[in-house]
Amino acid sequence: MSASTQKTQLNTPPGSSIFSKSKFGVAQIILFFSIAILVIVVAVPVVLIFLNAFWVNGEFNIRDVVKILMEQETYQALINSLIIAMGTTIGSTLVGTFFAWLVTRTDLPYKSFMKAMFLVPFMLPSFIGALAWKMLLSPNAGFINKFFINNFGFDGPIFNIYSYLGIILVEVMYLFPFVFIQVCGALERMDPTLEESARISGAGLFTITRKITIPLVLPSILSGALLIMLYSMAHFGTVAVLGIENGIFNIPTLIYQRIHQSGGSFDSIRTGTVLATVLVVTAALIIWLQGKILSKGHYQIIGGKSFRPMELKLRAMRVPLLVFCLVYIGFTIVLPTAVIFLVGGLKTYGLPFTWENLSLANYKFILFDYKVTKDAIWNSVTLGLGAAVITMFAGVMISYVIVKMKVRGKGILEFLGMLPFSVPGSVIALGVILAWSGKYGINLYNTVWIILVAYIARYMAFSLKANSAALEQVHDSLVEAARSCGASMWQTLKDIVLPLVRPGMLAAFFLIFLPSLRELTVSIMLYAPTTRTIGVAIYTLNEDGETVVSAALAGIALILIIVGQTLINRFTRKAGA
């Protein structure tokens, strides 16, 4: 290598020497297409939400917005969203923090098993859990309520799941892992010096936890809590299954009801866009608060040396806490999952669970005979595969621009790429309806393609995260060496970059494919009679009174999800080996 070449490489920022020599070259072409993809798929639908909310006939109109927000039904939905989100956030934070502390900082038996089980709700669809608890605790037909009424002389149900408390408790069961994961990570990496000093000074277990441990991991607790609030505010499934029947609507379910009942009229779309802006503003505020909390510099709990966190002795509480954890796992994970499979095997809903009343006929009917469910499974699998493949390759291209290229404008890509991650799914769905329903020349409404576009927008951030992490590990010198040897950019990408980032690409594929199998919030706004997905079919069949068929399809969905998650875990372990 000549001295002039060495000088050029030393004075050039990593990644820029390859692409910045020409004013308009391959880098600019990739940047242009990357921005075009995100603008068309992500930015345009979100912008149309605000335009349709605040502009009528080309004029700014805030009066109608205020009028919609002040309607009794709209106002009540906003209040309901806040009540449910606040209750879910508080409950999930308490549960997640407590279990994280147990499995990381105490001598609780079988901690690895417990930690794995507490992560199971993270991969299960909460609306299927809500469906299971509806079967268990509905006032008139719930199995638990009927058991207590028939055997213990109760005059009415012991608990009504169709209530604010019922919705909150079910959401807590499935959302507490957001806090659990964050707090576990913080506790496992925390320097135990302060705790050890307090213990030497005579402080007890709970005093140490209350006055030292919890304050030190407070940023992680608050960060997880804000994620739960963001998710709960925008969550459709649990409220749709347990709330609508008792007149409890939150913002996403009200948007769905208005549009679904009116057949997509202008007034319903307008109401939906106004409510969607509320969700967007709320999400932006929550993300801003999370950023402020995480940027605090005085919570420095991770030292520069390696250490093993101090294990607190539970002593007499060891066995009771183990029993409590097992009961919680059995009650919140095993019981509802078992009920889904058992009800799916009943000949008629309401019959007792005896061998005479159970069979595999419903599962066979769903897989081989019933067109609605066969189409739903086919649609979910093909949509998941299509969205995963497209976002995987688009994510690699966009991530390459963000991570490796020193070109102007890539900051726009980072913003647009993460925008869908912070925008609720119902907002994405409503924006896609506005953008792709024929007003701008392309009509995808009532087709499977509009769901595919929404999935691509919804899950692009997952692909960017996975691929960016993989590209960060590819040193710029490898690419520069290939270019110095005369390889074209496309040869360099094909022979050097893509093989090295293949694990990240496959991780992105599974991270998109698996959630798309259980997706409901986006699909419920966009489906047509022939484009139901698994989530939509489960929900609509249950609403139509086809409880055993709905449960059987939910059981099949759980099997697909568990198998998919197992494959992801095995692949991740092999990739990390």
Side-chain angles (χ1 to χ4, degrees):
M1 186 181 293
S2 66
S4 60
T5 303
Q6 292 177 346
K7 184 177 180 180
T8 300
Q9 291 189 354
L10 287 172
N11 294 332
T12 306
S16 63
S17 60
I18 306 171
F19 305 107
S20 60
K21 292 181 180 178
S22 59
K23 291 184 178 180
F24 189 83
V26 177
Q28 285 72 24
I29 294 174
I30 294 179
L31 177 65
F32 171 79
F33 279 111
S34 299
I35 292 178
I37 290 171
L38 291 181
V39 166
I40 293 171
V41 174
V42 175
V44 169
V46 174
V47 169
L48 288 176
I49 291 282
F50 288 94
L51 289 178
N52 279 268
F54 292 99
W55 270 265
V56 179
N57 298 323
E59 296 182 357
F60 184 75
N61 190 335
I62 193 67
R63 184 181 302 172
D64 288 351
V65 174
V66 174
K67 180 181 177 182
I68 291 172
L69 293 177
M70 293 304 293
E71 290 178 2
Q72 178 60 34
E73 192 175 20
T74 306
Y75 174 77
Q76 189 60 52
L78 292 172
I79 297 300
N80 291 343
S81 293
L82 291 173
I83 292 172
I84 294 168
M86 289 298 296
T88 301
T89 301
I90 294 171
S92 298
T93 301
L94 293 174
V95 172
T97 302
F98 174 70
F99 285 134
W101 173 76
L102 272 183
V103 302
T104 57
R105 306 310 295 270
T106 73
D107 62 342
L108 183 76
Y110 310 110
K111 291 193 294 184
S112 297
F113 169 77
M114 295 297 175
K115 186 175 182 180
M117 292 304 296
F118 288 140
L119 292 175
V120 168
F122 195 70
M123 68 179 183
L124 299 178
S126 57
F127 77 92
I128 291 181
L131 183 64
W133 284 106
K134 177 181 178 179
M135 298 170 185
L136 287 166
L137 287 172
S138 62
N140 299 320
F143 292 106
I144 293 177
N145 283 327
K146 286 171 62 178
F147 174 80
F148 277 91
I149 291 171
N150 295 335
N151 294 281
F152 295 97
F154 280 76
D155 295 330
I158 62 169
F159 185 79
N160 181 8
I161 199 68
Y162 300 142
S163 61
Y164 289 103
L165 182 59
I167 294 169
I168 290 170
L169 289 176
V170 172
E171 290 204 349
V172 167
M173 292 177 195
Y174 291 90
L175 296 185
F176 83 87
F178 280 99
V179 171
F180 178 81
I181 292 170
Q182 299 240 25
V183 178
C184 277
L187 289 172
E188 287 170 349
R189 295 172 294 156
M190 189 178 76
D191 189 338
T193 305
L194 291 174
E195 291 177 319
E196 292 171 354
S197 300
R199 192 170 185 83
I200 292 171
S201 300
L205 169 64
F206 293 103
T207 301
I208 294 172
T209 301
R210 180 170 53 88
K211 292 189 174 182
I212 296 176
T213 309
I214 297 299
L216 286 176
V217 297
L218 189 59
S220 296
I221 294 173
L222 293 177
S223 177
L226 288 172
L227 281 175
I228 290 171
M229 179 169 282
L230 177 63
Y231 190 91
S232 183
M233 283 288 292
H235 190 46
F236 174 85
T238 304
V239 181
V241 173
L242 301 178
I244 292 179
E245 196 156 336
N246 200 32
I248 301 174
F249 291 86
N250 64 349
I251 297 176
T253 53
L254 183 60
I255 293 174
Y256 166 73
Q257 188 207 39
R258 290 284 182 90
I259 295 176
H260 183 70
Q261 290 184 349
S262 67
S265 68
F266 173 79
D267 288 339
S268 66
I269 294 289
R270 183 84 198 287
T271 300
T273 56
V274 171
L275 293 172
T277 58
V278 175
L279 288 177
V280 173
V281 171
T282 304
L285 178 61
I286 291 172
I287 292 169
W288 177 79
L289 286 173
Q290 187 183 45
K292 295 291 286 184
I293 290 170
L294 293 178
S295 65
K296 296 293 184 182
H298 56 273
Y299 293 101
Q300 297 178 347
I301 62 174
I302 302 172
K305 59 181 181 179
S306 62
F307 51 81
R308 177 175 294 179
M310 182 181 67
E311 192 174 82
L312 301 174
K313 304 300 182 182
L314 294 174
R315 295 186 173 88
M317 294 296 295
R318 197 165 181 256
V319 173
L321 285 174
L322 172 63
V323 173
F324 174 78
C325 290
L326 292 174
V327 170
Y328 181 88
I329 290 168
F331 189 72
T332 63
I333 299 173
V334 178
L335 177 61
T337 303
V339 165
I340 287 291
F341 285 103
L342 288 172
V343 171
L346 285 175
K347 297 176 181 178
T348 303
Y349 183 61
L351 294 175
F353 296 127
T354 62
W355 289 112
E356 293 78 13
N357 297 329
L358 293 171
S359 73
L360 296 176
N362 292 327
Y363 294 96
K364 179 183 176 183
F365 176 64
I366 282 170
L367 291 172
F368 302 107
D369 300 322
Y370 193 24
K371 180 174 172 56
V372 170
T373 52
K374 287 198 302 179
D375 288 348
I377 295 171
W378 172 255
N379 288 337
S380 284
V381 172
T382 53
L383 282 168
L385 289 173
V389 170
I390 292 170
T391 51
M392 178 181 68
F393 284 107
V396 169
M397 180 176 67
I398 297 168
S399 298
Y400 193 84
V401 176
I402 293 172
V403 175
K404 294 298 182 184
M405 292 186 179
K406 302 294 181 181
V407 290
R408 293 180 179 178
K410 70 176 188 177
I412 301 172
L413 290 179
E414 295 183 78
F415 171 74
L416 292 177
M418 295 310 299
L419 183 62
F421 189 73
S422 59
V423 173
S426 54
V427 176
I428 292 291
L430 193 56
V432 168
I433 291 173
L434 294 171
W436 305 103
S437 295
K439 185 176 180 180
Y440 301 99
I442 301 177
N443 187 3
L444 302 179
Y445 196 61
N446 282 339
T447 70
V448 74
W449 302 108
I450 196 169
I451 303 177
L452 178 63
V453 171
Y455 280 9
I456 293 170
R458 178 72 167 156
Y459 297 118
M460 183 63 74
F462 292 13
S463 180
L464 293 182
K465 283 284 188 182
N467 286 304
S468 293
L471 283 165
E472 290 282 4
Q473 298 176 349
V474 179
H475 200 278
D476 297 319
S477 61
L478 296 174
V479 180
E480 292 175 355
R483 296 290 284 151
S484 299
C485 293
S488 67
M489 177 188 172
W490 301 115
Q491 287 176 315
T492 303
L493 293 175
K494 179 173 65 73
D495 297 332
I496 304 287
V497 177
L498 289 181
L500 291 174
V501 301
R502 188 176 293 124
M505 293 175 65
L506 291 175
F509 177 89
F510 285 114
L511 282 172
I512 295 160
F513 177 69
L514 193 59
S516 65
L517 286 180
R518 60 177 187 254
E519 204 285 323
L520 176 63
T521 305
V522 171
S523 306
I524 197 70
M525 300 276 290
L526 302 173
Y527 81 97
T530 59
T531 62
R532 286 185 176 93
T533 60
I534 291 176
V536 171
I538 293 170
Y539 176 74
T540 54
L541 285 170
N542 178 65
E543 291 299 296
D544 293 340
E546 300 285 348
T547 306
V548 293
V549 178
S550 175
L553 183 57
I556 292 172
L558 290 176
I559 292 172
L560 291 174
I561 291 166
I562 292 169
V563 170
Q565 190 66 46
T566 302
L567 292 175
I568 290 175
N569 293 339
R570 287 188 178 181
F571 169 77
T572 304
R573 284 197 296 268
K574 288 181 180 179

